[in-house]
Amino acid sequence: MSDLKTQFEKFFYPKSIAVVGASEKAGKIGAEIFRNLAFYDYKYKDKVYPVNPKHDKIMGIKAYPKIEDIPDKVDLAVVSIGAKFIPDLVESCGKKGIKNMVIVSGGFKELGTEEGKSYEKKMIENAKKYGVRLIGPNCIGVLNAEIGLDTFFQSHEHMIRPKPGSIAFLTQSGTFGCSFLEWAAESPVGISKFVSYGNRSDVDEADLITYLDQDEKTKVIAIYMEGLSDGRKFMNAAKTITKHKPIVVLKAGRSKAGARAAVSHTGWLGGSEKIYDAAFKQSGIIRVNNFEELFDAAKAIAMQDYAKGPRIGLVSNGAGPMIMAIDEIERRGLELPQISEDIEKQLKEKLPPFYIVHNPVDITGSATPNDYEIVLEHLAKDPNIDILMPFFVFQNTLIDESIVDVMEKINKLGKPVIGGSAGGPYTKKITDAIESVGVPMYPIAERVVAAAQALYINGKNLNK
Amino acid sequence: MSDLKTQFEKFFYPKSIAVVGASEKAGKIGAEIFRNLAFYDYKYKDKVYPVNPKHDKIMGIKAYPKIEDIPDKVDLAVVSIGAKFIPDLVESCGKKGIKNMVIVSGGFKELGTEEGKSYEKKMIENAKKYGVRLIGPNCIGVLNAEIGLDTFFQSHEHMIRPKPGSIAFLTQSGTFGCSFLEWAAESPVGISKFVSYGNRSDVDEADLITYLDQDEKTKVIAIYMEGLSDGRKFMNAAKTITKHKPIVVLKAGRSKAGARAAVSHTGWLGGSEKIYDAAFKQSGIIRVNNFEELFDAAKAIAMQDYAKGPRIGLVSNGAGPMIMAIDEIERRGLELPQISEDIEKQLKEKLPPFYIVHNPVDITGSATPNDYEIVLEHLAKDPNIDILMPFFVFQNTLIDESIVDVMEKINKLGKPVIGGSAGGPYTKKITDAIESVGVPMYPIAERVVAAAQALYINGKNLNK
């Protein structure tokens, strides 16, 4: 194992955890973290130790006044006590051999006060001195669905947890963390590792992507960031990684006011937008424009192979969304090629004469699931087409649930498939079923095309 | 009543309907239209007459060989027979005194064939000759939720219908029609009138907005269009209407390829994008960029008053989405002003010292519903603020359902309120509850800000 792999292993696979600041008082951060770890899905929940000098027991479990009082070995400390106590706690952890700490507490650099800055400085000094690695402060910490681990203070009633899967999500904002994880929980994709890193006073994005690069469970890394502390370190790491593992980034603070707000949120300088844009591009990073696009792109990459080129084959039983898709394909620099002559000929022979067999293929309101099968099978064979993009009007009575089997079959033909549909309960039912057989679906054409673009950029990176 | 009001009344309030092309065969368009009209919510479903020369009965109901055989008065004919029979049918309808027809059938101009064009020409000639007004062809027709009327061939199992409400939606694409109506059905907003007009060979957008301008049930008109047949007529009408009733437009075909596709879909010329943009602006039309934005803007306007200015007051218990909102506020030319000095002072006195009382107001992960109430009440009083924009992390354990009562109260303070939240089942439950008390909610910051911009543009138009 590399150094980083050894150092980070216990953030994600701890077999015992101390919760420093565990409390009885519902709603208090230390209470919620302890409850979530000791009473829910964490594989080693019998090895969760509350640390609190004022109570003998927390929620019926023996508490320890100080971390050094815990008789057992502790792999990870999760901390929610006041900032001023934390530098000393880092020292105690180091001495006890606890090399991994998640600092949930705020009250550091992000306040902009001299006091806050000095706590952060001392905390880092002690961490370096004792060889302790820190995630945070001012964050919600880590999740590893594989062993039911999370250090969150969000209750299970208010926030569902995702299943294990292939997307890693790193985020400076805990809020986006909660939303992303719940969206994943309600979709067919799962999460490999999650880190909300807040002020990132020690472990930073470059460290994390380097660790995740070696993590076999992770197929794609998604990141929400407000600014980088060490841009060069991150870009250098990213440049190597994106050649074999895609990285999708949403960076906030594009506007002047947004950049100022980002600084005050986690206390880091933003840097110029133009520099970021160029550096992302050079590093093979897939940059997205908003939070939905971030999830959409990660989902597409997790569910589908990369695209070998930018050429899209469109088919639909309703024209409106296709026309929006055509606009977006042009805007994003993708292509809508002619269908190969012989494929077009075959399609015309097999389809009713009033279907319009160009690209897009308009199979009209009369289309059946079988018509989709015919068209998509042929487009999958067409050397002119790299990405299959069906849109569906499931409201049309002639489209029934057999479309799910069709899509399962089409999804095995060796070309990426990505689709669109928008509607109510029946549409949602069929859409979910299609996603469950592996085809990612989105409600509007712009989001389908944006996700397809991510598959294309990923393909370009991998084949460099 | 004006001429147009008289002419159009029976499209939306027919008390008897003939379904020409009604059929027994499930899945056939004529069968589905007839089933939906005769067996579901239509107020006068006992007065739905199937016309079919081959059957005595359709679904157990007496059928008539020809429309002139129907002994009763017929207000509206809904037609799904072959294009070539339709010019004569228009004549028959005219002679029987049926002045309103919805032509669902395709096979006209949109095919690009001489035959198709000639049917369309003859159909229009007969309509003019006999004073018949036509919606369509190549469309899904009309809906008026007030009397449970729709001429759709989409089954109730596949497509739920919206409740009555204040949004009118006009669309060239039936597909977008289905999606919009189902989104409305699953939201707190309702639909006043709906028209899918397809090739609009007779009744066009200008006619429809002029009719809707006089329709008291309609508060906002949303339109999806691919191109206008008579741009000047539409813009002239819109210019007057937007001074008292907002019009939101999504126009497809921005790209060259998209414009070509739009032409082939409904057979109309697109026209230059630059001309459209300028004309929309001059006419006070709120132009949106994609289909989600179209629904979002209509929903915001339906649920909230117009904004008196562009100045937004932001508050959240999670910073990430706020930073994205700040970027978008700048991008869209809205403003994020300083909070008034005395209001800021009052807030600082009432809130914990670690809350950041600027604009945005960051009430941190420690925020309670009561904190939201304090902040929003004060922002509502602040003469510097026109629009209240709260974001919520409902995953945080300290935010409970009492936030719904808070938002109900805030919604009555005389300033538009529009919010954001993203997550899983608990977030959805609270979000829906907040919408049910009148505050529109969206999942990402960009969509919240886009909807706020619609309220602002509407305000500018109304106060001209």
Side-chain angles (χ1 to χ4, degrees), chain A residues 156 164 414-415:
Chain A
H156 281 251
K415 277 186 189 168

Side-chain angles (χ1 to χ4, degrees), chain A residues 114-323:
Chain A
E114 286 312 311
E115 223 180 353
K117 284 181 204 164
S118 86
Y119 297 146
E120 188 144 342
K121 191 161 165 276
K122 279 183 214 158
M123 175 178 74
I124 302 168
E125 280 168 8
N126 281 346
K128 298 252 184 285
K129 188 168 164 191
Y130 292 96
V132 174
R133 300 299 312 254
L134 304 176
I135 285 175
N138 187 23
C139 72
I140 65 169
V142 304
L143 170 137
N144 179 7
E146 211 184 325
I147 59 163
L149 166 74
D150 70 72
T151 64
F152 304 160
F153 54 86
Q154 285 77 13
S155 70
H156 281 251
E157 290 70 35
H158 282 217
M159 178 185 173
I160 57 174
R161 268 61 172 177
K163 58 208 154 303
S166 63
I167 301 174
F169 183 42
L170 310 177
T171 175
Q172 221 165 334
S173 154
T175 301
F176 278 135
C178 296
S179 302
F180 195 102
L181 295 178
E182 287 203 276
W183 284 356
E186 293 196 312
S187 86
V189 299
I191 300 294
S192 57
K193 306 286 183 295
F194 166 87
V195 183
S196 147
Y197 52 81
N199 295 10
R200 56 155 142 48
S201 66
D202 174 32
V203 169
D204 67 10
E205 300 90 346
D207 295 331
L208 289 166
I209 60 173
T210 305
Y211 171 79
L212 291 169
D213 185 28
Q214 301 164 51
D215 179 41
E216 281 173 18
K217 307 279 179 186
T218 298
K219 183 183 171 190
V220 50
I221 302 166
I223 311 179
Y224 166 77
M225 61 171 68
E226 287 160 8
L228 287 163
S229 50
D230 186 342
R232 187 167 297 176
K233 182 181 166 197
F234 177 79
M235 298 300 176
N236 282 339
K239 208 168 185 171
T240 313
I241 295 166
T242 55
K243 283 176 186 142
H244 47 270
K245 197 174 275 193
I247 300 176
V248 187
V249 170
L250 172 63
K251 187 187 163 300
R254 275 190 195 262
S255 67
K256 281 178 198 163
R260 275 197 305 276
V263 172
S264 81
H265 179 206
T266 40
W268 287 100
L269 276 174
S272 138
E273 259 314 294
K274 272 189 192 162
I275 293 175
Y276 271 108
D277 243 347
F280 283 146
K281 209 162 197 176
Q282 259 196 331
S283 312
I285 284 169
I286 301 165
R287 184 173 192 175
V288 295
N289 297 309
N290 68 48
F291 183 56
E292 279 177 336
E293 268 188 31
L294 181 68
F295 184 79
D296 290 350
K299 184 174 96 171
I301 295 170
M303 294 176 74
Q304 288 287 314
D305 277 342
Y306 67 85
K308 288 186 181 137
R311 299 167 307 168
I312 290 171
L314 269 175
V315 54
S316 182
N317 61 338
M322 277 200 301
I323 293 169

Side-chain angles (χ1 to χ4, degrees), chain B residues 227-341:
Chain B
L228 287 163
S229 50
D230 187 342
R232 186 166 299 177
K233 181 180 166 198
F234 176 79
M235 299 300 176
N236 281 342
K239 207 168 185 171
T240 313
I241 295 167
T242 56
K243 282 177 187 142
H244 47 269
K245 196 174 277 194
I247 301 175
V248 186
V249 170
L250 173 63
K251 185 186 165 302
R254 276 190 193 263
S255 68
K256 279 177 198 162
R260 275 197 305 275
V263 172
S264 83
H265 179 206
T266 39
W268 286 100
L269 275 175
S272 140
E273 260 313 294
K274 273 189 193 160
I275 293 173
Y276 271 108
D277 244 346
F280 283 147
K281 207 162 198 174
Q282 261 197 329
S283 311
I285 284 168
I286 301 167
R287 184 173 191 176
V288 295
N289 298 306
N290 68 49
F291 183 55
E292 279 176 337
E293 269 188 30
L294 181 67
F295 184 78
D296 290 351
K299 185 174 96 171
I301 294 170
M303 293 175 74
Q304 289 286 314
D305 276 343
Y306 67 86
K308 288 186 181 138
R311 299 167 307 167
I312 290 172
L314 268 175
V315 55
S316 181
N317 60 339
M322 276 201 302
I323 294 170
M324 300 303 294
I326 294 167
D327 283 347
E328 192 69 11
I329 286 166
E330 186 168 308
R331 209 178 68 78
R332 288 189 178 263
L334 301 176
E335 294 168 24
L336 197 71
Q338 295 289 316
I339 298 174
S340 302
E341 216 172 304

Side-chain angles (χ1 to χ4, degrees), chain B residues 13-90:
Chain B
Y13 296 93
K15 291 183 176 160
S16 56
I17 297 177
V19 179
V20 185
S23 153
E24 282 281 352
K25 207 181 150 197
K28 269 206 84 173
I29 285 178
E32 301 301 325
I33 294 172
F34 180 68
R35 189 200 318 280
N36 291 336
L37 279 169
F39 296 95
Y40 287 85
D41 308 326
Y42 176 44
K43 191 176 171 184
Y44 307 98
K45 61 185 164 197
D46 295 342
K47 302 274 181 190
V48 178
Y49 307 102
V51 177
N52 184 321
K54 292 181 197 153
H55 292 85
D56 291 340
K57 288 190 167 190
I58 300 285
M59 301 180 200
I61 294 168
K62 181 179 167 47
Y64 298 90
K66 298 195 301 295
I67 196 143
E68 45 267 51
D69 299 330
I70 302 172
D72 297 330
K73 186 174 169 294
V74 171
D75 284 346
L76 176 69
V78 182
V79 181
S80 63
I81 58 175
K84 65 176 168 185
F85 304 113
I86 294 180
D88 286 348
L89 177 68
V90 173

Side-chain angles (χ1 to χ4, degrees), chain B residues 366-425:
Chain B
S366 302
T368 62
N370 188 49
D371 294 335
Y372 273 100
E373 184 168 354
I374 292 168
V375 173
L376 290 166
E377 265 182 356
H378 282 78
L379 294 181
K381 281 189 293 191
D382 189 338
N384 279 2
I385 303 289
D386 302 307
I387 301 171
L388 308 179
M389 191 180 286
F391 285 84
F392 303 95
V393 187
F394 293 132
Q395 289 92 345
N396 283 356
T397 311
L398 292 169
I399 303 291
D400 62 18
E401 299 184 27
S402 69
I403 190 70
V404 181
D405 298 331
V406 168
M407 293 313 298
E408 187 169 17
K409 201 169 151 189
I410 297 301
N411 196 34
K412 290 173 183 159
L413 299 181
K415 278 187 187 167
V417 195
I418 180 163
S421 64

Side-chain angles (χ1 to χ4, degrees), chain B residues 6 55 66 105-107 117 196 207 210 215 232 246 279-280 291 301 311 349 354 386 426 447-449 464:
Chain B
T6 313
H55 292 85
K66 298 195 301 295
S105 325
K117 284 180 205 165
S196 148
D207 295 331
T210 305
D215 179 42
R232 186 166 299 177
F280 283 147
F291 183 55
I301 294 170
R311 299 167 307 167
E349 280 163 11
F354 57 97
D386 302 307
Y426 182 80
R447 290 171 63 180
V448 184
V449 176
K464 245 175 201 163

